[in-house]
Amino acid sequence: MLALDSARRRTAWDEVMTGFVPGLATLEAAIGTATESVLGRPPRRVLDLGGGPGVVASRMADRWPGARVTLIDIDPVLLALARDGASPAVTVLDADLGEPEWADPAGTGYDLATALMTVHYLRPERIRALYRRCRQALDPGGLLVVADLMPDDGLPTVSAALNPAPGEAAAELAWAQWWGEATAAFGDLMATRAAVFRDRPAANFAGSVGWHIAAARAAGFREAGILWRDGRHAALAALA
Ligand SMILES: C[S@@+](CC[C@H](N)C(=O)[O-])C[C@H]1O[C@@H](n2cnc3c(N)ncnc32)[C@H](O)[C@@H]1O
């Protein structure tokens, strides 16, 4: 039996993510406050897209004890950690967000959908399709939050000057170390992971705020705008 050491690895993952997005805690707080305010109650069903090892999904389950959280990811290592260590309120699904079929097992009737640092893996047309699928998965009045590298169209000079952000090299190193340790521990699963991402290299697309707002509006969301910003990272909120 593979010893996943999932608690320690998930804590270390959280530290790596916070290295990339130092304001991660304020993002999660903004999502929580906005969701409760818009719904007028806690969410009952939450969809976390590209939820990795389920750290954020578990925190959402802790914040909203009555909620059922569905996590989707494609990485076999991160899925194993999520299945082993995430909150029991989190259902973990293995699906490719680059293909429209991901929405079938996820179903509909969600109050909140989140994609934190996920969409830069996808090509622009796939992100547009993801917005459309999220609009269908959400109930009317539900909220989608997409956080990623998102330059501000009105501030091209400032956005360019922030690239790379201070601390980004250290975060890249911490990411490499995390995966280095995983390589030593997960063996066969790492080989499976390599095959998964060989067919789906990260697109590294960083659409601007305007690009994401236009994609959300085209997908049928009735409002879309920026909920949160921290340096190069921003979070779009879109209301179904
Ligand atoms: C930078 S990580 C962020 C993970 C998580 N949202 C967090 O904040 O901890 C990006 C996640 O997107 C997932 N991902 C990338 N491409 C995907 C795809 N085509 N389908 C499903 N998940 C994908 C990766 O496996 C990874 O878990």
Side-chain angles (χ1 to χ4, degrees), residues 13 17 50 52 73-75 78 95-98 116-118 121 197:
W13 175 271
M17 287 300 125
D73 209 285
I74 199 172
D75 186 317
L78 301 180
D96 182 355
L97 295 170
L116 308 190
M117 293 164 293
T118 296
Y121 279 82
F197 285 104

Side-chain angles (χ1 to χ4, degrees), residues 80-121:
L81 291 174
R83 289 193 173 111
D84 189 62
S87 158
V90 178
T91 299
V92 178
L93 300 179
D94 180 354
D96 182 355
L97 295 170
E99 300 295 333
E101 292 77 22
W102 69 261
D104 297 340
T108 57
Y110 290 92
D111 295 314
L112 170 67
T114 53
L116 308 190
M117 293 164 293
T118 296
V119 296
H120 67 272
Y121 279 82

Side-chain angles (χ1 to χ4, degrees), residues 68-163:
R68 284 185 292 140
V69 181
T70 301
L71 178 156
I72 295 186
D73 209 285
I74 199 172
D75 186 317
V77 172
L78 301 180
L79 285 166
L81 291 174
R83 289 193 173 111
D84 189 62
S87 158
V90 178
T91 299
V92 178
L93 300 179
D94 180 354
D96 182 355
L97 295 170
E99 300 295 333
E101 292 77 22
W102 69 261
D104 297 340
T108 57
Y110 290 92
D111 295 314
L112 170 67
T114 53
L116 308 190
M117 293 164 293
T118 296
V119 296
H120 67 272
Y121 279 82
L122 304 176
R123 296 198 303 272
E125 68 275 16
R126 301 294 173 109
I127 302 175
R128 286 195 199 92
L130 187 86
Y131 275 112
R132 289 194 293 275
R133 289 280 164 178
C134 285
R135 174 64 192 82
Q136 292 162 359
L138 285 164
D139 273 349
L143 203 60
L144 167 67
V145 179
V146 173
D148 219 302
L149 290 169
M150 221 180 267
D152 188 311
D153 310 73
L155 290 169
T157 309
V158 174
S159 292
L162 285 171
N163 187 9

